[in-house]
Amino acid sequence: MAVVGLRIFDLHIPGARSLKEKRYVLRSVKDRLGNGRYNISIAETGYLDKWQRTELAVAVVSGRRRDVERMLDAVRERLDREVGVSIIDTQTEIY
């Protein structure tokens, strides 16, 4: 049976002074996360009209819960190291 993991990241982008700057930062972050190293789906799902705030949803599917948890934790670690982005909060659901 497939296991699906969803982690929602509430992020602060302190350097963004416009939606255009925010989109530039998010595009870079999403490209680095989704460049093949992580087998994930990622989408901006909240705070679409805020300059310095966003919500990213990351989804992972695997055959084992442990693999899903490991992948979501790896994404969290990568976001923790991301310059120009700080994690405010996360929510995780595994089905």
Side-chain angles (χ1 to χ4, degrees):
M1 180 190 305
V3 178
V4 178
L6 174 67
R7 183 164 290 167
I8 298 179
F9 294 92
D10 188 356
L11 302 176
H12 181 233
I13 306 169
R17 290 173 177 69
S18 68
L19 287 176
K20 186 176 181 179
E21 287 182 15
K22 172 188 169 181
R23 298 281 181 259
Y24 177 79
V25 170
L26 283 179
R27 190 174 318 113
S28 297
V29 168
K30 289 167 59 176
D31 286 348
R32 282 191 287 279
L33 289 174
N35 69 0
R37 181 173 181 197
Y38 303 106
N39 192 14
I40 62 172
S41 292
I42 184 167
E44 183 180 11
T45 56
Y47 304 108
L48 302 176
D49 58 344
K50 303 289 185 192
W51 294 0
Q52 295 186 335
R53 188 121 181 235
T54 192
E55 178 182 272
L56 287 182
V58 175
V60 178
V61 179
S62 180
R64 298 187 310 178
R65 182 182 179 98
R66 180 177 51 214
D67 294 338
V68 168
E69 291 170 347
R70 191 175 314 145
M71 183 62 66
L72 292 174
D73 290 343
V75 170
R76 167 68 193 244
E77 290 171 11
R78 179 65 180 98
L79 279 174
D80 280 337
R81 294 189 310 267
E82 193 68 42
V83 175
V85 175
S86 354
I87 299 172
I88 296 171
D89 192 21
T90 62
Q91 298 174 6
T92 305
E93 296 183 31
I94 298 180
Y95 306 96

